[in-house]
Amino acid sequence: MSNPQQPLPHNETERLAALKRYNILDSLPEHIFDDATKLVSYICAVPIAHISFIDETRQWFKSEIGIGVSEVPREISFCRYTILDSEMVEIGDTHLNERFKDDPNVVDGFKVRFYAGIPLTTPDGYNIGTICAIDHISKELNENQKNALSIVAKHIINQLELRTKNIELAAQKKIAQRAVLAKDSFLANMSHEIRTPLNAIIGFTDLLAQTRLDTIQRDYINSVQIAEENLLLIVNDILDLSKIESGNLTIDAHPFNLKNTLKHIYDLLKVKVPANVEFNLFLDADMPEMVIGDQGRLNQILVNLAGNSLKFTEEGEVTVSVKKTAETADNYSLRFSVKDTGIGIAEKKLKTIFERFTQAEESTTRKFGGTGLGLNIVKQLIELQHSEIQVKSKLGHGSEFFFTLTYKKADDVEEIKTTLPEHNQDKYKILLCEDNVLNQKLVKSVIYNFGYEVDIAENGEAGIQLLSKNKYDLILMDLQMPVKDGYQTTQYIRNEMKLNIPIIAMTAHSLVGEQERCYKEGMNGYVPKPFKQAVLLEAIKTVMNKDIPLTQKRNIDLSFIDEVSCGDPDFRQDMIHLFLEKIPNEVTQLEEAILKNDVDTAKKISHTMKSSLDIFLLKDLSNYVSIIEKEANMREFSTETVGKINTLRSEITEIIAILKDIK
């Protein structure tokens, strides 16, 4: 402008700091700002409109109509005066205005005849920019137009505030995610450190219990076994809690014999029943034999509840009962109840007993033991199955815990029974890859008890050398070893040596998703430490059973497709055909977009892919693609997301192969 004097707000330093806080300068175009500019042009009926921000040296246009440049020097801008004011600045005719009548953009340039600008004022009172309407003819805004311009200005500031909050939240989320990963890693590593010696204690105690003992020695051994089981329960509680918190604990859906499961729970617990307590199991006559659901979690819930009842009942009875409450064409609803005549719970404590590290009375921790985590885990396991647990109790008169679970019908599913031969029927030669000396000695003793031979390698590299010289029937593979760990060793055996020898993972690490990773890397079985001899023997027999395929396949659930097919037999095949035709190309395009940091393409493809994956109930892959879409919206991909794209491609390749078999 003609005036060489640069007018500055009295709070210029603080104003510039407020502007920088929004990180808006030199950012990419955004629809929400462009739409606001169009709205200003329409409301004020002008050919030129803009949203701009003013820093030390320039006026930068976030959005503009009729200007055609991204910025102009601050000293030639009209808006350098607007930010000095707290109200709208309106100049009906610049030719009549002493300050602007000789301005180059009035006599020439943009030929500004009319100007209306309103400052963009932050909540703490700093004018960081302007929103303006400009015309080549003189005019005057009416009250409605002025009010509308003020409303749009407030809307722009609100959007800036929202952007800033979202960026802060995203940063906090990343910090929280890193904290969760650190916590999970800490818990997993601590679990490994605890489980490794505990594995030896339990194993050698079991071996000792099989020897000839006198009455006093037998009593001591029984006490040790009770103590080690309690310690293992505490470790498992902490790990389950960690999995639930991180969202990585999932509910499976497989056919299982409900009655056998309940009888097994009863048989397991009845050995702990006090002398003055009657332990009952009542099953509804109409209760189904077979259902589809998560057998392991039901077992965990009932063992916890019934175990608590037995612990807190010194005389009277504990009753586990199951009753069918509803039935549809596809589902059963079953009410589970655990009722006792024990110490009961005070009314004021009923609302808090499901909280972590909480028991009904502080004294129960000392008298009865426990972590205070059991009921919290039970509550969350039931909620993961879309139900809730309830409790009725009166202090000194016992308690009842009850809940209702819905299971899918499995009328046409026959229970699979695998007959395991006696352990000494086959003479297997086994290679054990294990670096811990105590565990080496323990497993060696157990394997000899099974009637098998065993060679020991202290790491994966030594195991590969033994495998290249000798013939083995199967490998027991520890996952954490020096030189070459269990994963690297398995990869070498499968990819370089081209051997399909059965491999059973044995680990005390218990990271979330570790079992699935073992199968993906080419292992055939998984035995967590501390292990029970019967569990290890069953795992060996299972992988050595030639009728059971060694390759573990992903289970693809087509139930949603069948549900919406309305009886059309061709619908399933049409959907599979579309998936096979479409998804591989989309994975390739998505991978290219992520590697090129093409966020717009990645956003579009990930959104489309998510719908396809959801239809086939591929929840884990759908969740990963959702993360890609969210990060594309934030215009930044995390290192973890980029790193997992290869995993997505390999998972899709496996799914494609399975779907082709279904066709």
Side-chain angles (χ1 to χ4, degrees), residues 30-49:
E30 296 176 61
H31 291 304
I32 194 159
F33 293 96
D34 291 340
D35 290 344
T37 304
K38 292 173 187 174
L39 187 61
V40 170
S41 175
Y42 174 77
I43 291 169
C44 300
V46 294
I48 301 174

Side-chain angles (χ1 to χ4, degrees), residues 405-462:
L405 294 180
T406 299
Y407 290 113
K408 288 185 178 180
K409 287 187 173 181
D411 294 335
D412 56 348
V413 179
E414 292 184 4
E415 186 181 8
I416 299 172
K417 295 183 180 179
T418 305
T419 303
L420 296 177
E422 292 297 322
H423 71 261
N424 60 356
Q425 182 173 324
D426 299 298
K427 296 289 184 182
Y428 298 132
K429 187 170 183 180
I430 296 173
L431 173 61
L432 170 66
C433 296
E434 168 67 68
D435 65 311
N436 185 280
V437 177
L438 274 176
N439 284 339
Q440 288 176 0
K441 187 175 180 181
L442 170 63
V443 177
K444 183 177 179 180
S445 297
V446 171
I447 294 300
Y448 282 164
N449 277 358
F450 291 165
Y452 306 147
E453 298 178 30
V454 63
D455 285 345
I456 297 173
E458 67 274 10
N459 58 60
E461 190 67 53

Side-chain angles (χ1 to χ4, degrees), residues 10 52 99 129 162 167 207 209 229 250 293-294 315 375 411 423 427 435 453 490 516 520 549 591 630-631:
H10 69 279
S52 65
R99 175 177 282 172
L162 185 60
I167 291 170
L207 289 173
E229 285 178 7
T250 56
D294 196 322
E315 60 179 1
L375 284 180
D411 294 335
H423 71 261
K427 296 289 184 182
D435 65 311
E453 298 178 30
T490 300
E516 291 77 6
K520 288 173 186 174
E591 184 175 10
K630 288 176 184 175
E631 292 183 354

